[in-house]
Amino acid sequence: MRSIYRPGAIVETWFEFLPEGQRRLCRALMAAVQAAGPDLLPVVKSGHLIFLQSGVHAVAIAPYSRLVHLQVFNGSAIATRFPMLRGCGPGLRQMHWRGGDEVDATLVQAIVRAALAALARGGERERVSARRPRASRSAAGPDDAGGR
């Protein structure tokens, strides 16, 4: 089992291992995240900088070779308000930046505040009014399905 490293020195060391372009982006993202949620606890886990809210994963900064992702662990709960969050499934959504991109701190702060509010509500998902119709079964019944 992997453990969570909490000391501030570990977080600073994490930044030192990043290439310069990613380091700049990650520091800007960290500043925006901490401005939106000053009570969030930054920890390093599995190579990512994760921000915990009362022990629960709220958001993470995840650098990859060409991109830096801001991962919102309950992003599906706020996806209708922030369509720029990418992903599918029941939880995680993300935004990404390339090395030369600028971070829109106002947008990041709004996303983090909305994610924290959703966590406070118990992670409720916003209702999506237009859902895709469920795939229908063929007109043939189970007896006509080739003996299955």
Side-chain angles (χ1 to χ4, degrees), residues 48-114:
H48 299 199
L49 184 59
I50 299 176
F51 295 87
L52 303 175
Q53 174 69 34
S54 302
V56 177
H57 292 95
V59 296
I61 299 172
Y64 294 98
S65 60
R66 295 182 181 169
L67 300 171
V68 173
H69 289 189
L70 175 69
Q71 298 176 338
V72 183
F73 288 96
N74 64 340
S76 62
I78 61 171
T80 56
R81 289 178 45 205
F82 299 99
M84 71 288 302
L85 291 172
R86 298 177 179 181
C88 61
L92 184 79
R93 297 292 187 271
Q94 61 192 4
M95 283 183 69
H96 70 263
W97 289 264
R98 297 190 192 286
D101 293 346
E102 293 297 320
V103 173
D104 182 353
T106 305
L107 176 62
V108 171
Q109 290 172 12
I111 289 171
V112 171
R113 285 187 186 113

Side-chain angles (χ1 to χ4, degrees):
M1 185 164 116
R2 294 182 178 160
S3 62
I4 297 175
Y5 300 104
R6 295 175 188 245
I10 298 292
V11 172
E12 285 303 314
T13 302
W14 180 81
F15 280 107
E16 291 175 12
F17 283 106
L18 296 173
E20 183 57 40
Q22 286 185 341
R23 185 178 311 138
R24 183 188 54 77
L25 276 172
C26 290
R27 285 204 184 272
L29 284 169
M30 181 177 179
V33 168
Q34 288 185 318
D39 294 335
L40 291 174
L41 175 66
V43 297
V44 175
K45 183 177 179 184
S46 300
H48 299 199
L49 184 59
I50 299 176
F51 295 87
L52 303 175
Q53 174 69 34
S54 302
V56 177
H57 292 95
V59 296
I61 299 172
Y64 294 98
S65 60
R66 295 182 181 169
L67 300 171
V68 173
H69 289 189
L70 175 69
Q71 298 176 338
V72 183
F73 288 96
N74 64 340
S76 62
I78 61 171
T80 56
R81 289 178 45 205
F82 299 99
M84 71 288 302
L85 291 172
R86 298 177 179 181
C88 61
L92 184 79
R93 297 292 187 271
Q94 61 192 4
M95 283 183 69
H96 70 263
W97 289 264
R98 297 190 192 286
D101 293 346
E102 293 297 320
V103 173
D104 182 353
T106 305
L107 176 62
V108 171
Q109 290 172 12
I111 289 171
V112 171
R113 285 187 186 113
L116 294 176
L119 275 176
R121 289 191 312 265
E124 298 173 5
R125 291 192 190 124
E126 294 178 355
R127 299 286 180 206
V128 178
S129 59
R131 293 187 178 210
R132 286 190 289 168
R134 193 178 251 184
S136 63
R137 292 188 164 179
S138 65
D143 295 334
D144 298 331
R148 287 190 215 167

